[in-house]
Amino acid sequence: HVPYLIDFRTPWYAFSFYQQFLYSVLISLGLFSIITRVKRFIPLFIIIFLLIDLIIPFPIVSGNMENRVYFPEYFLNTVNYLNSQEGNFNVLLLPESPTWFSSSWYVGNNVFIYFSKHQVFFGGLYDSQNSWLRNAYSLICTTIYEGNVSRYMLIYNLFYLLNVKYIVFQGDFKSSPLVHFDINSSEMLRGLNEFQEEGILTLVRNFSPYYVYRVNINSSNILVGNSLPNSSIQWLSENNVSEYLHPFYSYKFVNPVEIKIWNLHDKYLFFVYSYDKIWRLNNEVPSKLFYGNLYEVNGSSMIVSSIQGKNFLRLIFITAYSIFLILYYPFLYYTLRKHLKIY
């Protein structure tokens, strides 16, 4: 959730530039070896590479193959509206994105997450490492789509636990060869209106085909209490979680990976975040993984941090190993060239 550093979340993205650099070194050395062995073909090699260098990027240079995305006004209006709302809350997007999102104007990672200053739930494997959160999202999406208001208490509790304050229905979704949606837009709107009649949702903005609903529940990214709710679906369908855990607002983000907490006098602390397992409380791992992280606390001031020593050491190891490869490949080439007498 740190802007512009999302690629470093995944090691093969974070260090792919090392790999590309190594390939460029190997290819250059290999071509040099071939050219020096068949010098009479040097002009032919130069002509071939010039043609390749001109032909391959020509569609992009000519403008016939561009990867630009033009953001429609309704998308920008939705993002600007949500970003203007104060407070620490989360936004839930509908419909679910199994992996990528496909709309009438782009196909790829859901771009909403890059514009929103609030945490966004959009479902699927790319949303969260926490299976509880993914299951909760799918349950919310299915229940709303079916308009199953008999599950009102369950939906209320999931909204409360996930601190969902706004729902955005992206009505411009569109199936493509890469992404398939097995839902109907009118049915999703009907389901949302069913829950609006129950009073849990209110349509606050109509940026058709985007619709913004406010969730009429007061919650927080941090919940505290002295007794624990049950995590089963049946229990959540019959009981009110707010009777066990109540919102806690005495905290602030020191930076994107640290949170300062004070005036805490409860036994348990529940914390919602997309990548739950990496967050620690006073260097202690969660005592339980629920729809977020659950910690047992002693009431003192504390820091919740996502920095782990083992991840930092792993980063140092991968960096050192990559530097070793950069230095090793030229040495390997010249050693082979010397022993195999390649000129």
Side-chain angles (χ1 to χ4, degrees):
H1 293 284
V2 181
Y4 308 111
L5 295 182
I6 191 169
D7 283 345
F8 286 86
R9 182 188 68 189
T10 311
W12 49 85
Y13 289 155
F15 299 97
S16 61
F17 60 92
Y18 285 126
Q19 184 183 31
Q20 294 168 9
F21 176 78
L22 292 175
Y23 283 152
S24 68
V25 172
L26 289 175
I27 292 173
S28 299
L29 292 175
L31 291 176
F32 176 78
S33 176
I34 294 174
I35 291 174
T36 53
R37 296 178 67 180
V38 285
K39 294 183 179 180
R40 59 179 178 175
F41 293 107
I42 290 179
L44 178 61
F45 277 112
I46 293 176
I47 294 174
I48 291 175
F49 284 115
L50 284 177
L51 289 175
I52 292 175
D53 197 42
L54 291 174
I55 293 174
I56 292 178
F58 180 76
I60 300 176
V61 175
S62 63
N64 294 324
M65 182 180 175
E66 56 182 357
N67 291 323
R68 298 177 184 176
V69 174
Y70 297 93
F71 296 91
E73 185 176 358
Y74 58 82
F75 173 84
L76 297 176
N77 288 338
T78 302
V79 170
N80 290 334
Y81 171 75
L82 292 174
N83 286 345
S84 68
Q85 305 304 303
E86 298 298 327
N88 293 318
F89 58 82
N90 303 319
V91 178
L92 187 140
L93 302 182
L94 296 175
E96 182 175 4
S97 302
T99 49
W100 284 358
F101 185 77
S102 176
S103 74
S104 58
W105 50 282
Y106 82 98
V107 177
N109 289 332
N110 199 310
V111 297
F112 209 100
I113 62 176
Y114 303 112
F115 287 80
S116 175
K117 73 175 186 179
H118 303 286
Q119 183 180 341
V120 176
F121 295 117
F122 53 90
L125 296 175
Y126 290 176
D127 186 7
S128 174
Q129 293 178 343
N130 187 342
S131 60
W132 287 87
L133 283 176
R134 293 200 303 270
N135 293 337
Y137 176 93
S138 295
L139 188 57
I140 291 172
C141 186
T142 302
T143 303
I144 291 179
Y145 183 70
E146 294 174 350
N148 190 355
V149 295
S150 64
R151 284 190 159 187
Y152 175 91
M153 183 53 66
L154 174 62
I155 296 301
Y156 177 96
N157 286 331
L158 292 178
F159 284 157
Y160 185 81
L161 288 171
L162 302 185
N163 190 26
V164 174
K165 193 62 181 178
Y166 288 92
I167 295 176
V168 177
F169 174 51
Q170 303 168 105
D172 61 348
F173 70 92
K174 181 180 180 181
S175 293
S176 69
L178 297 175
V179 184
H180 176 70
F181 294 101
D182 191 21
I183 66 170
N184 181 275
S185 181
S186 59
E187 286 297 309
M188 182 65 78
L189 286 173
R190 183 191 61 80
L192 287 165
N193 291 333
E194 290 281 348
F195 279 92
Q196 181 174 220
E197 292 178 2
E198 294 295 317
I200 195 172
L201 301 179
T202 300
L203 178 64
V204 291
R205 287 292 185 275
N206 182 348
F207 299 120
S208 181
Y210 272 31
Y211 302 87
V212 183
Y213 290 82
R214 184 180 64 243
V215 178
N216 300 318
I217 298 174
N218 292 322
S219 187
S220 172
N221 280 331
I222 295 179
L223 303 172
V224 295
N226 291 310
S227 57
L228 294 177
N230 194 294
S231 60
S232 70
I233 297 301
Q234 181 178 352
W235 190 95
L236 292 173
S237 301
E238 299 172 351
N239 299 272
N240 193 332
V241 172
S242 62
E243 297 177 359
Y244 296 81
L245 298 173
H246 54 272
F248 184 79
Y249 302 107
S250 298
Y251 71 92
K252 70 174 181 179
F253 280 85
V254 179
N255 56 58
V257 295
E258 290 185 334
I259 301 177
K260 178 70 175 180
I261 303 173
W262 63 93
N263 294 333
L264 180 59
H265 306 289
D266 296 87
K267 184 178 180 180
Y268 299 102
L269 182 146
F270 176 79
F271 178 60
V272 179
Y273 220 64
S274 279
Y275 304 106
D276 300 274
K277 294 181 180 179
I278 67 174
W279 288 84
R280 296 189 173 200
L281 179 62
N282 287 345
N283 206 32
E284 295 293 331
V285 297
S287 58
K288 182 180 180 182
L289 284 175
F290 190 29
Y291 292 101
N293 283 3
L294 187 64
Y295 306 92
E296 292 187 23
V297 297
N298 56 17
S300 61
S301 299
M302 59 203 70
I303 295 288
V304 176
S305 173
S306 67
I307 300 299
Q308 295 187 43
K310 64 178 182 180
N311 287 340
F312 181 70
L313 292 175
R314 185 183 303 168
L315 180 64
I316 293 178
F317 172 76
I318 295 176
T319 304
Y321 180 69
S322 301
I323 294 174
F324 167 75
L325 290 179
I326 292 174
L327 299 175
Y328 175 72
Y329 271 108
F331 171 78
L332 176 63
Y333 170 77
Y334 285 111
T335 301
L336 292 174
R337 179 178 177 181
K338 179 180 179 181
H339 289 281
L340 299 178
K341 298 181 180 181
I342 300 176
Y343 298 100

